[in-house]
Amino acid sequence: MTDPADLAAMERALTLAVEAGEHGDVPVGAVVTDAAGAVIGEGRNLREVTHDPTAHAEVVALRGAAASVGSWNLEGCTLVVTLEPCVMCAGAVLQSRVSRLVFGAWDDKAGAVGSVYDVVRDRRLPHRAEVVAGVREDAASALLRAFFDARR
């Protein structure tokens, strides 16, 4: 059974993903919650809007959370994102010391949390995150499918 706080955060992340798609970016949204479940950072893909290759939803949300708490160290926090993070974003999860990662859709082409790689649980690295996969997977996948179908 999915944690109600994770579901609520995923709903917000899905709303942010829709906004990303409306602005021409791949529809991915992310939310960071603190240990009590309060939202401390959120983001959506902004690569097209900002012309910044690092402006993935996860990085934007992690930056917001770090600014909110006044520290890069987000231990005890949860990152909730609509799509399995890529290698860059998985690395950002580890560098920020996020304790939990919750995601919706799997990314079988570039996923770094079990699909292609499993960076966040690699025992060779000094930090690992707990992973909860497949939360609202159908909704997240449908957004991505509609976005890419419209461009083909």
Side-chain angles (χ1 to χ4, degrees):
M1 180 174 195
T2 304
D3 183 303
D6 291 346
L7 282 173
M10 183 60 80
E11 290 305 319
R12 178 62 185 147
L14 286 164
T15 298
L16 292 164
V18 169
E19 291 174 15
E22 290 171 347
H23 290 94
D25 269 289
V26 175
V28 179
V31 172
V32 179
T33 60
D34 65 14
V39 174
I40 59 171
E42 59 181 37
R44 60 181 174 86
N45 272 357
L46 294 171
R47 291 185 317 164
E48 298 298 331
V49 173
T50 63
H51 311 293
D52 177 355
T54 68
H56 288 205
E58 300 94 324
V59 172
V60 174
L62 290 168
R63 286 176 180 157
S68 176
V69 301
S71 174
W72 62 268
N73 190 328
L74 300 176
E75 189 171 348
C77 295
T78 298
L79 172 65
V80 179
V81 61
T82 58
L83 179 64
E84 178 185 3
C86 68
V87 172
M88 176 183 72
C89 294
V93 166
L94 297 180
Q95 291 300 316
S96 65
R97 301 296 191 261
V98 165
S99 297
R100 294 179 69 242
L101 170 65
V102 176
F103 70 87
W106 291 92
D107 184 349
D108 60 358
K109 294 180 182 169
V113 188
S115 289
V116 179
Y117 305 103
D118 197 353
V119 173
V120 300
R121 293 179 288 201
D122 190 321
R123 293 272 175 215
R124 296 170 293 183
L125 299 173
H127 179 76
R128 284 167 292 289
E130 174 189 345
V131 175
V132 178
V135 176
R136 295 295 320 273
E137 181 177 2
D138 291 344
S141 294
L143 283 174
L144 291 160
R145 205 169 20 261
F147 178 81
F148 288 111
D149 285 351
R151 280 154 179 74
R152 289 186 177 119

